């Protein structure tokens, strides 16, 4: 039981502090970010 | 950890599913792309000849403000990440990245062995330099506000710090970016055209001249720029994603977007693609000898009013002009119905696009009433209005003939001026010299902020109309900082309606990307961001040429 609790504690602390991998080679599909846009002559 | 990433993406996809659906629809395989057949062998080398509507203002990615410079610079430079043809974010110079759980600390690892065109390895120090440069007030980058969330950005811009504390080169190939506040996922910001990585040694030595002698990491390297004539790029054989199939790109410059001249050169076989002129449009698109590519883009073409100058400091005069112009008739008559009427500001496919916005109907009597209420009954006392354009071709001249007639019908006299030297036009536009002007605006991220904050926030350097409305500013500020997509949509829609009610602009159309390609051109990918973002490294010329 003690070993199980210790294991859960380790896993829990790992989840709490571990960084999130945002992407490796896949894509991130989200567009909340703002951009700049470009002007053109309007022809 | 991969599971955590997948869950995070699932939530994100759910939140913006509608937008992505529209973007995906806009990014379906192009006719030119579909002509790639397995029996054909890609041709290595060859020169690709493209028309460019004007001389760019600059080729320094941090300073570019027009689509002409963006079109060229996209081929010369890379960022840490990039948009693919579905507008999803994929790696570019970064091999991978990770974020802290609070979304404030982002760590990017560069791909190994990356080299600039002058042969030096790309390092984390170049990344820190390039991004810091965007925040340098001396550079005057229009992307500075996008990076204002980086820790230490305000102190650096105010001159209280020599470096931006949020940018750190952890080692030769690892960069850490720390934000002062979470901005949703930060990564798409790094895909914008300004956030390209430049070589520190070259950019520092060249100073302002870097914009005329750019050096990047991209699939093509800069060769020369003869103003008013052409810009030449050559293939980068050491490109990290494999050398491009084309040997050279020649951008031939047609100042003032001379569509007829471009098409004539295309017909003579001296260009490999061209925009379409209005003359003989229907015959041209029916011609089976060329590939006709057409799809919607996230853009707006409008007439802006200088809201600080008389008579356009009175919203009733601006509203009167809006009601006086029959935009549908202009699109049908002068442009053969080729563009989508803009009822509001946000284009379809943008988060927050409101199909219920109706804008200003063509209503000459209402226009006359508004003029009378503004103190100009029958147009009496109203000075002649100068309308400026950087473009002059058959279609726009016809448009202006129709506008002059429609304005005259309500008592407004208009005179049209053409300044087809784009850099000069753009400078005078930024200086607020034009009472009324025509302009096109192209998104680089399919977000409403691209249009509403950039064009109408009182503190935006791209607020060409000098429009100021504190209530609109509050809505736009709130929309930027809110993390709930639904709330952002609501705020942007309210802001859009207020701007339309104030008639800061006369929206005309959303562009349909439309271009002819020679039949031997293969693998053209056009996203909703339009022509500047076509990855020319993928294009090749079939042997039948």
């Amino acid at each position: 039981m003690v070993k199980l609790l210790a294991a859960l504690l380790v896993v829990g602390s790992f989840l709490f502090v571990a960084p999130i991998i945002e992407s490796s080679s896949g894509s991130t599909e989200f567009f909340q970010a703002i951009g700049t846009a470009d002007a053109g002559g309007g022809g | 950890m991969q599971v955590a990433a997948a869950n995070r993406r699932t939530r994100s996809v759910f939140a913006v599913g509608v937008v992505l659906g529209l973007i995906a629809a806009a990014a379906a395989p192009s006719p030119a792309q579909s002509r790639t057949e397995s029996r054909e062998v890609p041709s290595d080398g060859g020169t690709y000849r493209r028309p460019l509507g004007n001389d760019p203002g600059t080729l320094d990615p941090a300073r570019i403000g027009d689509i002409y410079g963006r079109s060229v610079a996209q081929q010369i430079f890379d960022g840490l990440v990039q948009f693919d043809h579905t507008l999803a974010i994929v790696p570019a110079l970064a091999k991978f990245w990770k974020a802290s759980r609070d979304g404030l600390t982002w760590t990017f690892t560069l791909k190994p062995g990356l080299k600039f065109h002058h042969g030096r390895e790309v390092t984390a120090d170049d990344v820190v330099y390039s991004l810091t440069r965007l925040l340098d007030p001396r550079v005057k980058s229009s992307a500075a506000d996008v990076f204002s969330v980086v820790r230490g950005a305000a102190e650096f811009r105010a001159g209280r710090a020599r470096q931006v504390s949020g940018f750190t080169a952890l080692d030769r190939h690892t960069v850490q970016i720390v934000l002062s506040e979470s901005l949703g996922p930060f990564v798409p910001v790094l895909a914008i055209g300004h956030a390209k990585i430049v070589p520190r040694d070259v950019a520092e030595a060249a100073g302002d001249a870097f914009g005329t002698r750019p050096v990047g990491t991209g699939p093509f390297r800069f060769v020369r720029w003869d103003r008013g004539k052409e810009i030449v790029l050559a293939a980068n054989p050491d490109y990290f994603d494999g050398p491009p199939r084309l040997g050279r790109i020649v951008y031939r410059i047609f100042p003032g977007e001379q569509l007829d001249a471009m098409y004539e050169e295309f017909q003579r076989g001296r260009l490999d693609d061209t925009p379409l002129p209005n003359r003989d449009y229907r015959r041209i698109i029916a011609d089976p000898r060329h590939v006709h590519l057409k799809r919607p883009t996230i853009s707006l073409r409008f007439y802006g009013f200088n809201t600080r100058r008389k008579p356009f400091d009175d919203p009733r005069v601006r509203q009167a002009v809006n009601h006086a112009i029959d935009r549908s008739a202009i699109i049908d008559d002068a442009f053969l119905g080729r563009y989508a009427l803009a009822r509001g500001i946000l284009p379809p496919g943008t988060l927050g696009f409101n199909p219920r916005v109706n804008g200003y109907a063509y209503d000459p009597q209402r226009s006359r009433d508004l003029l009378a209420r503004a103190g100009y009954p029958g147009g009496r006392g109203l000075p002649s209005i100068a309308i400026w354009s950087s473009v002059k071709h058959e279609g726009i001249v016809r448009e202006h003939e129709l506008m002059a007639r429609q304005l005259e019908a309500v008592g407004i006299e208009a005179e049209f001026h053409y300044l087809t030297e784009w850099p000069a036009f753009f400078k005078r536009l930024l200086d607020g010299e034009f009472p009324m002007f025509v302009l096109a605006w192209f998104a680089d991220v399919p977000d409403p902020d691209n249009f509403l904050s950039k064009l109408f926030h009182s503190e935006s350097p791209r607020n060409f109309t000098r429009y100021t409305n504190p209530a609109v500013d509050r809505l736009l500020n709130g929309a930027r900082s809110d993390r709930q997509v639904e709330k952002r949509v609501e705020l942007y829609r309210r802001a859009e309606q207020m701007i339309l009610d104030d008639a800061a602009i006369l929206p005309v159309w959303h562009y349909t990307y439309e271009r002819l390609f020679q039949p031997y051109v293969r693998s053209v990918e056009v996203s909703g961001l339009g022509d500047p973002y076509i990855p020319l490294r993928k294009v090749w010329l079939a042997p039948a040429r």
Side-chain angles (χ1 to χ4, degrees):
Chain A
M1 186 64 180
V2 173
K3 281 184 180 174
L4 179 62
L5 282 174
L8 286 173
L9 194 63
V10 168
V11 171
S13 60
F14 175 75
L15 288 173
F16 187 72
V17 299
I20 298 168
I21 298 294
E22 183 65 19
S23 177
S24 52
S25 59
S27 61
T28 306
E29 298 166 317
F30 200 102
F31 294 113
Q32 189 172 342
I34 50 181
T36 56
D38 290 313
Chain B
M1 285 194 284
Q2 294 291 2
V3 173
N7 288 343
R8 187 186 173 95
R9 281 200 291 272
T10 303
R11 288 196 300 272
S12 304
V13 168
F14 177 74
V16 294
V18 174
V19 175
L20 290 173
L22 288 164
I23 300 305
S30 70
Q33 190 176 17
S34 68
R35 291 177 69 98
T36 305
E37 296 167 14
S38 57
R39 62 187 165 78
E40 291 180 326
V41 179
S43 165
D44 288 324
T47 298
Y48 193 82
R49 303 152 304 172
R50 307 206 77 197
L52 201 61
N54 274 306
D55 264 310
T58 174
L59 294 177
D60 180 343
R63 302 172 197 245
I64 288 172
D66 56 61
I67 52 165
Y68 317 111
R70 189 72 63 209
S71 296
V72 180
Q74 280 294 114
Q75 315 303 330
I76 300 174
F77 295 95
D78 291 295
L80 290 172
V81 297
Q82 61 190 329
F83 287 115
D84 72 6
H85 67 288
T86 67
L87 299 188
I89 293 291
V90 295
L93 298 183
K95 184 179 179 187
F96 61 86
W97 56 91
K98 62 186 179 182
S100 60
R101 192 163 287 278
D102 60 10
L104 293 178
T105 303
W106 295 80
T107 308
F108 293 83
T109 300
L110 296 175
K111 289 173 179 167
L114 295 168
K115 285 190 175 170
F116 288 110
H117 297 154
H118 68 314
R120 184 172 65 70
E121 184 189 23
V122 180
T123 68
D125 183 54
D126 292 306
V127 177
V128 169
Y129 171 75
S130 302
L131 299 181
T132 300
R133 211 166 156 256
L134 297 176
L135 287 162
D136 188 337
R138 291 169 299 182
V139 173
K140 296 179 182 169
S141 174
S142 64
D145 64 329
V146 175
F147 287 86
S148 61
V149 291
V150 175
R151 182 178 292 170
E155 290 79 359
F156 176 74
R157 284 181 65 73
R160 296 196 299 273
R162 294 186 64 186
Q163 281 138 8
V164 180
S165 60
F167 294 138
T168 310
L170 296 180
D171 59 39
R172 196 165 172 78
H173 299 111
T174 313
V175 180
Q176 187 180 72
I177 302 174
V178 181
L179 309 181
S180 54
E181 57 182 289
S182 177
L183 182 75
F186 175 65
V187 179
V189 166
L190 296 166
I192 65 173
H194 294 75
K196 303 295 187 189
I197 306 307
V198 302
R200 180 176 192 158
D201 51 342
V202 178
E204 281 187 339
D208 289 348
F210 188 69
T212 57
R213 298 194 303 268
V215 175
T217 55
F220 294 91
R221 63 179 172 77
F222 175 81
V223 176
R224 69 170 184 273
W225 177 1
D226 296 332
R227 284 189 186 274
K229 292 182 180 173
E230 63 180 22
I231 296 172
V232 179
L233 310 182
N236 170 14
D238 302 320
Y239 189 56
F240 69 83
D241 206 18
R245 289 169 171 177
L246 298 169
R248 290 166 87 83
I249 303 172
V250 176
Y251 293 92
R252 290 187 50 198
I253 299 164
F254 295 79
E257 299 190 10
Q258 305 163 55
L259 301 183
D260 293 328
M262 291 177 197
Y263 177 66
E264 283 170 20
E265 287 296 277
F266 175 78
Q267 266 191 316
R268 292 187 186 119
R270 295 176 186 162
L271 288 173
D272 296 311
D273 66 55
T274 183
L276 280 86
N278 284 315
R279 196 180 54 201
D280 295 334
Y281 170 74
R282 298 196 195 289
R283 182 188 60 76
I284 290 168
I285 61 170
D287 187 339
R289 291 175 299 170
H290 309 305
V291 177
H292 177 217
L293 199 155
K294 186 175 180 179
R295 62 189 42 193
T297 64
I298 304 170
S299 60
L300 175 70
R301 198 267 209 166
F302 63 95
Y303 285 84
F305 306 104
N306 186 330
T307 60
R308 300 274 176 87
R309 286 175 63 157
K310 284 188 177 300
F312 294 128
D313 57 343
D314 186 333
R316 292 169 298 191
V317 177
R318 306 194 298 260
Q319 291 161 350
V321 172
N322 266 271
H323 278 304
I325 302 298
D326 187 349
R327 296 166 299 153
S328 292
I330 286 173
I331 293 171
D332 288 341
D333 183 309
F335 296 95
L336 308 172
R338 289 167 52 190
Y339 305 123
L341 174 68
R343 298 179 191 282
I345 298 165
L346 295 178
T350 312
L351 180 78
F353 168 71
N354 186 354
R356 289 190 295 276
V357 165
N358 276 320
Y360 291 83
Y362 173 53
D363 189 343
Q365 187 52 51
R366 176 105 178 99
S367 176
R368 291 185 198 99
D369 293 345
L370 283 160
L371 277 182
R373 270 194 268 157
Y376 308 108
R380 286 190 296 280
L382 191 68
S384 178
I385 292 168
I387 303 176
W388 286 78
S389 169
S390 68
V391 172
K392 188 174 186 183
H393 55 66
E394 190 179 282
I396 205 162
V397 170
R398 173 66 180 154
E399 174 184 9
H400 291 165
E401 285 170 7
L402 294 170
M403 282 179 70
R405 212 175 296 161
Q406 291 164 3
L407 289 168
E408 191 181 0
V410 300
I412 300 174
E413 186 185 328
E415 54 193 66
F416 292 88
H417 301 272
Y418 302 93
L419 175 57
T420 57
E421 190 194 341
W422 170 257
F425 178 92
F426 199 54
K427 182 179 184 306
R428 290 182 64 179
L429 177 68
L430 289 171
D431 290 344
E433 291 186 24
F434 303 141
M436 189 171 167
F437 51 87
V438 60
L439 199 69
W441 195 242
F442 300 91
D444 63 351
V445 176
D447 190 280
D449 205 78
N450 247 220
F451 293 87
L452 299 177
S453 292
K454 285 289 166 184
L455 291 172
F456 303 107
H457 193 289
S458 64
E459 293 178 12
S460 167
R462 294 292 184 253
N463 183 340
F464 304 109
T465 59
R466 267 71 174 158
Y467 171 72
T468 302
N469 183 334
V472 167
D473 282 357
R474 280 193 295 276
L475 287 170
L476 295 175
N477 291 340
R480 271 191 167 188
S481 57
D482 206 296
R483 296 179 197 176
Q484 292 181 31
V485 174
E486 299 84 353
K487 184 68 176 170
R488 291 187 74 218
V489 167
E490 182 204 329
L491 295 174
Y492 279 124
R493 285 183 170 178
R494 283 169 58 195
E496 180 185 32
Q497 192 58 58
M498 289 176 81
I499 297 162
L500 288 171
D501 290 346
D502 286 339
I505 62 169
L506 164 70
V508 186
W509 65 57
H510 304 297
Y511 278 97
T512 303
Y513 176 80
E514 203 171 10
R515 218 163 176 100
L516 291 177
F517 290 83
Q518 299 286 10
Y520 48 76
V521 177
R522 299 288 188 273
S523 294
V524 176
E525 289 181 3
V526 188
S527 75
L529 300 181
D531 197 72
Y533 294 84
I534 294 175
L536 293 177
R537 67 190 164 84
K538 295 184 179 179
V539 170
W540 56 280
L541 307 173
R545 188 184 180 192

PDB file of all heavy atoms in Angstrom, chain B residues 20-39:
ATOM      1  N   LEU B  20     -11.607  26.279 -38.966  1.00  0.00           N
ATOM      2  CA  LEU B  20     -10.728  25.357 -39.672  1.00  0.00           C
ATOM      3  C   LEU B  20     -11.441  24.707 -40.844  1.00  0.00           C
ATOM      4  O   LEU B  20     -10.845  24.481 -41.886  1.00  0.00           O
ATOM      5  CB  LEU B  20     -10.220  24.277 -38.713  1.00  0.00           C
ATOM      6  CG  LEU B  20      -9.242  24.798 -37.667  1.00  0.00           C
ATOM      7  CD1 LEU B  20      -8.916  23.711 -36.664  1.00  0.00           C
ATOM      8  CD2 LEU B  20      -7.978  25.283 -38.337  1.00  0.00           C
ATOM      9  N   GLY B  21     -12.719  24.442 -40.665  1.00  0.00           N
ATOM     10  CA  GLY B  21     -13.471  23.851 -41.756  1.00  0.00           C
ATOM     11  C   GLY B  21     -13.492  24.760 -42.964  1.00  0.00           C
ATOM     12  O   GLY B  21     -13.268  24.330 -44.082  1.00  0.00           O
ATOM     13  N   LEU B  22     -13.710  26.034 -42.710  1.00  0.00           N
ATOM     14  CA  LEU B  22     -13.738  26.991 -43.804  1.00  0.00           C
ATOM     15  C   LEU B  22     -12.372  27.124 -44.453  1.00  0.00           C
ATOM     16  O   LEU B  22     -12.240  27.191 -45.662  1.00  0.00           O
ATOM     17  CB  LEU B  22     -14.206  28.361 -43.285  1.00  0.00           C
ATOM     18  CG  LEU B  22     -15.679  28.422 -42.934  1.00  0.00           C
ATOM     19  CD1 LEU B  22     -15.967  29.646 -42.089  1.00  0.00           C
ATOM     20  CD2 LEU B  22     -16.527  28.437 -44.195  1.00  0.00           C
ATOM     21  N   ILE B  23     -11.325  27.155 -43.591  1.00  0.00           N
ATOM     22  CA  ILE B  23      -9.973  27.282 -44.137  1.00  0.00           C
ATOM     23  C   ILE B  23      -9.632  26.047 -44.959  1.00  0.00           C
ATOM     24  O   ILE B  23      -9.075  26.140 -46.044  1.00  0.00           O
ATOM     25  CB  ILE B  23      -8.946  27.432 -42.988  1.00  0.00           C
ATOM     26  CG1 ILE B  23      -9.246  28.664 -42.157  1.00  0.00           C
ATOM     27  CG2 ILE B  23      -7.527  27.506 -43.559  1.00  0.00           C
ATOM     28  CD1 ILE B  23      -9.333  29.929 -42.919  1.00  0.00           C
ATOM     29  N   ALA B  24      -9.993  24.875 -44.429  1.00  0.00           N
ATOM     30  CA  ALA B  24      -9.670  23.658 -45.152  1.00  0.00           C
ATOM     31  C   ALA B  24     -10.359  23.666 -46.510  1.00  0.00           C
ATOM     32  O   ALA B  24      -9.779  23.267 -47.520  1.00  0.00           O
ATOM     33  CB  ALA B  24     -10.095  22.440 -44.343  1.00  0.00           C
ATOM     34  N   ALA B  25     -11.598  24.177 -46.521  1.00  0.00           N
ATOM     35  CA  ALA B  25     -12.317  24.232 -47.793  1.00  0.00           C
ATOM     36  C   ALA B  25     -11.594  25.148 -48.772  1.00  0.00           C
ATOM     37  O   ALA B  25     -11.507  24.879 -49.963  1.00  0.00           O
ATOM     38  CB  ALA B  25     -13.741  24.742 -47.566  1.00  0.00           C
ATOM     39  N   ALA B  26     -11.034  26.240 -48.215  1.00  0.00           N
ATOM     40  CA  ALA B  26     -10.336  27.187 -49.081  1.00  0.00           C
ATOM     41  C   ALA B  26      -8.997  26.637 -49.556  1.00  0.00           C
ATOM     42  O   ALA B  26      -8.403  27.153 -50.484  1.00  0.00           O
ATOM     43  CB  ALA B  26     -10.102  28.503 -48.337  1.00  0.00           C
ATOM     44  N   ALA B  27      -8.499  25.590 -48.893  1.00  0.00           N
ATOM     45  CA  ALA B  27      -7.160  25.104 -49.201  1.00  0.00           C
ATOM     46  C   ALA B  27      -7.191  23.766 -49.937  1.00  0.00           C
ATOM     47  O   ALA B  27      -6.262  22.997 -49.875  1.00  0.00           O
ATOM     48  CB  ALA B  27      -6.354  24.969 -47.905  1.00  0.00           C
ATOM     49  N   ALA B  28      -8.290  23.496 -50.611  1.00  0.00           N
ATOM     50  CA  ALA B  28      -8.375  22.248 -51.364  1.00  0.00           C
ATOM     51  C   ALA B  28      -7.320  22.243 -52.468  1.00  0.00           C
ATOM     52  O   ALA B  28      -6.857  23.291 -52.890  1.00  0.00           O
ATOM     53  CB  ALA B  28      -9.764  22.133 -51.973  1.00  0.00           C
ATOM     54  N   PRO B  29      -6.916  21.057 -52.936  1.00  0.00           N
ATOM     55  CA  PRO B  29      -5.873  21.005 -53.958  1.00  0.00           C
ATOM     56  C   PRO B  29      -6.222  21.868 -55.168  1.00  0.00           C
ATOM     57  O   PRO B  29      -7.361  21.911 -55.612  1.00  0.00           O
ATOM     58  CB  PRO B  29      -5.837  19.526 -54.342  1.00  0.00           C
ATOM     59  CG  PRO B  29      -6.371  18.813 -53.163  1.00  0.00           C
ATOM     60  CD  PRO B  29      -7.382  19.721 -52.556  1.00  0.00           C
ATOM     61  N   SER B  30      -5.227  22.572 -55.676  1.00  0.00           N
ATOM     62  CA  SER B  30      -5.455  23.490 -56.780  1.00  0.00           C
ATOM     63  C   SER B  30      -5.433  22.746 -58.106  1.00  0.00           C
ATOM     64  O   SER B  30      -4.873  21.663 -58.200  1.00  0.00           O
ATOM     65  CB  SER B  30      -4.350  24.536 -56.779  1.00  0.00           C
ATOM     66  OG  SER B  30      -3.149  23.913 -57.152  1.00  0.00           O
ATOM     67  N   PRO B  31      -6.041  23.339 -59.144  1.00  0.00           N
ATOM     68  CA  PRO B  31      -5.976  22.704 -60.458  1.00  0.00           C
ATOM     69  C   PRO B  31      -4.539  22.459 -60.896  1.00  0.00           C
ATOM     70  O   PRO B  31      -4.215  21.408 -61.421  1.00  0.00           O
ATOM     71  CB  PRO B  31      -6.660  23.720 -61.368  1.00  0.00           C
ATOM     72  CG  PRO B  31      -7.544  24.496 -60.474  1.00  0.00           C
ATOM     73  CD  PRO B  31      -6.853  24.547 -59.156  1.00  0.00           C
ATOM     74  N   ALA B  32      -3.673  23.483 -60.650  1.00  0.00           N
ATOM     75  CA  ALA B  32      -2.286  23.296 -61.061  1.00  0.00           C
ATOM     76  C   ALA B  32      -1.682  22.118 -60.322  1.00  0.00           C
ATOM     77  O   ALA B  32      -0.904  21.349 -60.864  1.00  0.00           O
ATOM     78  CB  ALA B  32      -1.491  24.559 -60.783  1.00  0.00           C
ATOM     79  N   GLN B  33      -2.093  21.988 -59.047  1.00  0.00           N
ATOM     80  CA  GLN B  33      -1.573  20.880 -58.251  1.00  0.00           C
ATOM     81  C   GLN B  33      -2.105  19.555 -58.782  1.00  0.00           C
ATOM     82  O   GLN B  33      -1.379  18.579 -58.890  1.00  0.00           O
ATOM     83  CB  GLN B  33      -2.018  21.074 -56.808  1.00  0.00           C
ATOM     84  CG  GLN B  33      -1.358  20.130 -55.842  1.00  0.00           C
ATOM     85  CD  GLN B  33      -1.785  20.445 -54.427  1.00  0.00           C
ATOM     86  OE1 GLN B  33      -2.775  21.134 -54.206  1.00  0.00           O
ATOM     87  NE2 GLN B  33      -1.052  19.948 -53.476  1.00  0.00           N
ATOM     88  N   SER B  34      -3.404  19.537 -59.124  1.00  0.00           N
ATOM     89  CA  SER B  34      -4.020  18.285 -59.531  1.00  0.00           C
ATOM     90  C   SER B  34      -3.478  17.790 -60.858  1.00  0.00           C
ATOM     91  O   SER B  34      -3.679  16.661 -61.238  1.00  0.00           O
ATOM     92  CB  SER B  34      -5.538  18.453 -59.608  1.00  0.00           C
ATOM     93  OG  SER B  34      -5.856  19.312 -60.664  1.00  0.00           O
ATOM     94  N   ARG B  35      -2.791  18.680 -61.576  1.00  0.00           N
ATOM     95  CA  ARG B  35      -2.241  18.256 -62.863  1.00  0.00           C
ATOM     96  C   ARG B  35      -0.953  17.446 -62.704  1.00  0.00           C
ATOM     97  O   ARG B  35      -0.393  16.954 -63.657  1.00  0.00           O
ATOM     98  CB  ARG B  35      -1.980  19.474 -63.746  1.00  0.00           C
ATOM     99  CG  ARG B  35      -3.262  20.148 -64.216  1.00  0.00           C
ATOM    100  CD  ARG B  35      -2.923  21.371 -65.023  1.00  0.00           C
ATOM    101  NE  ARG B  35      -2.319  21.000 -66.293  1.00  0.00           N
ATOM    102  CZ  ARG B  35      -2.985  20.936 -67.439  1.00  0.00           C
ATOM    103  NH1 ARG B  35      -4.262  21.192 -67.465  1.00  0.00           N
ATOM    104  NH2 ARG B  35      -2.380  20.602 -68.558  1.00  0.00           N
ATOM    105  N   THR B  36      -0.462  17.377 -61.439  1.00  0.00           N
ATOM    106  CA  THR B  36       0.725  16.568 -61.212  1.00  0.00           C
ATOM    107  C   THR B  36       0.349  15.107 -61.401  1.00  0.00           C
ATOM    108  O   THR B  36      -0.480  14.579 -60.693  1.00  0.00           O
ATOM    109  CB  THR B  36       1.256  16.783 -59.784  1.00  0.00           C
ATOM    110  OG1 THR B  36       1.472  18.152 -59.597  1.00  0.00           O
ATOM    111  CG2 THR B  36       2.546  16.016 -59.573  1.00  0.00           C
ATOM    112  N   GLU B  37       0.951  14.464 -62.349  1.00  0.00           N
ATOM    113  CA  GLU B  37       0.613  13.076 -62.613  1.00  0.00           C
ATOM    114  C   GLU B  37       1.834  12.217 -62.367  1.00  0.00           C
ATOM    115  O   GLU B  37       2.972  12.617 -62.581  1.00  0.00           O
ATOM    116  CB  GLU B  37       0.132  12.943 -64.059  1.00  0.00           C
ATOM    117  CG  GLU B  37      -1.158  13.717 -64.319  1.00  0.00           C
ATOM    118  CD  GLU B  37      -1.469  13.852 -65.794  1.00  0.00           C
ATOM    119  OE1 GLU B  37      -0.845  13.133 -66.593  1.00  0.00           O
ATOM    120  OE2 GLU B  37      -2.319  14.673 -66.130  1.00  0.00           O
ATOM    121  N   SER B  38       1.568  10.994 -61.924  1.00  0.00           N
ATOM    122  CA  SER B  38       2.660  10.141 -61.482  1.00  0.00           C
ATOM    123  C   SER B  38       3.624   9.793 -62.618  1.00  0.00           C
ATOM    124  O   SER B  38       4.792   9.549 -62.398  1.00  0.00           O
ATOM    125  CB  SER B  38       2.098   8.867 -60.868  1.00  0.00           C
ATOM    126  OG  SER B  38       1.270   8.222 -61.809  1.00  0.00           O
ATOM    127  N   ARG B  39       3.120   9.806 -63.854  1.00  0.00           N
ATOM    128  CA  ARG B  39       4.003   9.422 -64.949  1.00  0.00           C
ATOM    129  C   ARG B  39       4.997  10.531 -65.303  1.00  0.00           C
ATOM    130  O   ARG B  39       5.969  10.315 -66.014  1.00  0.00           O
ATOM    131  CB  ARG B  39       3.191   9.039 -66.187  1.00  0.00           C
ATOM    132  CG  ARG B  39       2.346  10.153 -66.736  1.00  0.00           C
ATOM    133  CD  ARG B  39       1.440   9.654 -67.853  1.00  0.00           C
ATOM    134  NE  ARG B  39       0.381  10.588 -68.172  1.00  0.00           N
ATOM    135  CZ  ARG B  39       0.533  11.684 -68.900  1.00  0.00           C
ATOM    136  NH1 ARG B  39       1.726  11.983 -69.360  1.00  0.00           N
ATOM    137  NH2 ARG B  39      -0.482  12.482 -69.149  1.00  0.00           N
TER     138      ARG B  39
END
